[in-house]
Amino acid sequence: MRNIVIFGGSSHTELAEQIASRLNVQLGRVKLSKFSNKETNVEIHESVREKDVYIIQSGCGHVNDNLMELLIMISACKIASAAKVTAVIPCFPYARQPDAPYKKNGELLSRIPKDAFIGYTFNTPASTPANEVKDPFGIALARFEEQSANGASTSGVSARNGYKHWIARSGTLIANLITCAGADHIITMDLHDPQFQGFFDVPVDNLYGQPLMIKYIKENIPNYQNAIIISPDAGGAKRATAIADKLHMDFALIHKERRSQSQPHKTDMMLVGEVRDKVCILIDDIADTSCTITKAAKILSESGAKKVCAIITHGILSGDAIQRIVASVIDQVIVSDSVPQSDHLARCSKLKVFNVAPIFAEAIRRIHNGESISALFNIMDLI
Amino acid sequence: MSHGLILSLYTQHEFRRLGIDLSKVIVLKYSNQETSVTIGESVRDEDVFIIQSGCGEINDNLMELLIMINACKTASARRITAVIPCFPYARQDKKDKSRAPITAKLVANMITVAGANHVITVDLHASQIQGFFNIPVDNLYCEPSMLKYINMNIPEWKNAIIVSPDAGGAKRAASIADRLNLEFALIHKERKKANEVSSMVLIGDVSGKIAILIDDMADTCGTLKLATSTLRDHGASKVYAIVAHGILSGKAIDVINDSLLERLVVTNTIPHDDKKAACSKIDTIDISSTLAEAIRRTHNGESVSFLFSHAPE
């Protein structure tokens, strides 16, 4: 391919290499390091003048470091006269808008103390998002603790009566940062909210993991016509039904009821559909703490499912996720390698990985040659 | 102060003097390492000052700042001022070789894009960085506080000579020498790659004098150590170093302990209490009064130029 330079960020070099080798180009030479004061240093050792540059960086691991590295690389290529810079972000960072981890009056939800911990079960409450409190001077937290100790939390914590705490929703910000660094085009995969595309002022190609999931089901799940596709929450129903429709399979849904005020930890789950003696395939886009899928697996097996497996696009699997999956009744978790999985694979025998490099390589090839991307979604069987 | 809000991730004490408390803000990190910010107070139609320094985990701190600015913006703050005592990536400010990123410009763009209306910072590595912004930037100087420190804490200062450890900082050092009516010397250093200095040449006579090194940043402290031994070799009786931003990364503490430096004086633009505990040579200049006064003046629409030449009590 002519006039193309592909760079791999430090988050997921393996994927970058796979994509480059499928396109039969060498990865661009780039030195990524950190100065001793922890500033990110990027040196690009390859001419990019008037070239189409593709930078592959996933939003995983140290998300902020990786994001900053991506932004600096984009900006460096831009000011080095690259014709066009495309950010290829297999797993988009900050894609989920935060769930409020607070009660209505703004008080932090109480958590099970760490030392009271016995062992991981599938039902262990998520330690996210508060497992690492960053507050160097202890101001905010000391205040919270003080006030809950006084039992005056309701009136004290909220500054003005009726004020609901403002939680930052960083979606637009991240989109704007990438655009302002100089990206002309974004390629990503299975965005959590399809609306996220609208946050950008540049073209965004949102690829789907769905064709790869369908391929996996066809090839690896024997007798899949008799299995049933499950969506672990209402939000993902559309994603799951699309697969069920294409494979002419049955579909069921797990409905998460919102936590009640008196028992904030307890979430009731309801299964809608019949799963008895069937192989259940859970479909979701992100497995982070993997609470959702392990809880869903529990309900499914209680309802008589023969076997439960989960197919997930982005297996971030942070915090206690691996232990939770190991302890769960779930039989198999299949994730894509949009996030590096080799560490996870070594720690969990239930984990299987499908490769997304072909779909990204084909997308890059088509974008570079000015061909249609939408055709890509239909001819996935060929890849 | 009426209609003013200060959100700080940096330090609390300096704002007591403004007579207002810091607002409640909670910064958490999700287990997938994404940053989450919650603002515990209404900012609608308020004048918001957010204080965050570029130190420690720089990228995390920068993201925190950006997310906070953006959160205040979407929460309808009237004006948002980012107070950044130590501007991150300030040294990556030029395309010094092929395809080098101008990260300082990128950071400036990011802060603007996040929604800041005004930036207050201290001793920018290159004052040209002000031009990277399309919003007003107030670049405050440590110089008045440094002068005060020299006057009060170096008893023999009248027999001192001000030394700039590199040609780039000559202006900064010369200005202090002028204000104190002292002589001035310069060290020329040859740098083969970042954070490493190969050789030094002293221009000026320092024998029998107390040398005061003036610089804007002390990072790995290699320069300071070399400069100190160069000065001592040329007959300086004592060597002090006064530096605006004490980043002190890597093995800086060991380097200072090993060096012939009498004292390293840094400002508190970067928290360094832990480093002070490990190294008795470090002394601190408190510049919180300058920042607090700048915030007060900005909020009230007064001129800040007074602060360029005076350190408030």
Side-chain angles (χ1 to χ4, degrees), chain A residues 103-167:
Chain A
K103 288 183 192 167
K104 268 197 179 152
N105 63 11
E107 192 188 359
L108 280 164
L109 285 176
S110 56
R111 277 163 205 290
I112 294 176
K114 270 188 184 153
D115 44 1
F117 185 73
I118 317 146
Y120 289 98
T121 67
F122 49 81
N123 222 4
T124 308
S127 58
T128 33
N131 67 341
E132 192 185 328
V133 175
K134 185 146 185 300
D135 179 21
F137 298 91
I139 307 160
L141 223 80
R143 249 182 228 177
F144 274 97
E145 276 161 12
E146 188 183 281
Q147 277 166 358
S148 31
N150 294 342
S153 49
T154 330
S155 56
V157 171
S158 21
R160 315 265 154 89
N161 240 353
Y163 178 69
K164 190 171 175 296
H165 283 234
W166 191 274
I167 300 172

Side-chain angles (χ1 to χ4, degrees), chain A residues 36-37 65 128 137 166 318, chain B residues 10 31 39 59 91 99 249:
Chain A
S36 68
N37 65 350
D65 282 344
T128 33
F137 298 91
W166 191 274
S318 71
Chain B
Y10 167 59
S31 70
I39 294 170
N59 294 336
R91 277 174 292 179
R99 288 162 248 119
S249 71

Side-chain angles (χ1 to χ4, degrees), chain B residues 214-277:
Chain B
I214 303 283
D215 206 352
D216 69 328
M217 247 177 225
D219 190 352
T220 50
C221 293
T223 310
L224 281 182
K225 191 187 173 188
L226 263 174
T228 307
S229 50
T230 310
L231 289 168
R232 289 295 289 260
D233 290 348
H234 286 80
S237 58
K238 269 184 189 172
V239 182
Y240 289 86
I242 305 183
V243 174
H245 304 297
I247 300 166
L248 306 179
S249 71
K251 289 183 183 146
I253 297 298
D254 297 338
V255 172
I256 296 166
N257 279 330
D258 289 349
S259 75
L260 297 165
L261 210 56
E262 184 73 18
R263 185 160 293 167
L264 171 64
V265 186
V266 297
T267 69
N268 58 352
T269 52
I270 291 171
H272 56 269
D273 288 344
D274 51 331
K275 284 157 189 155
K276 225 168 152 178

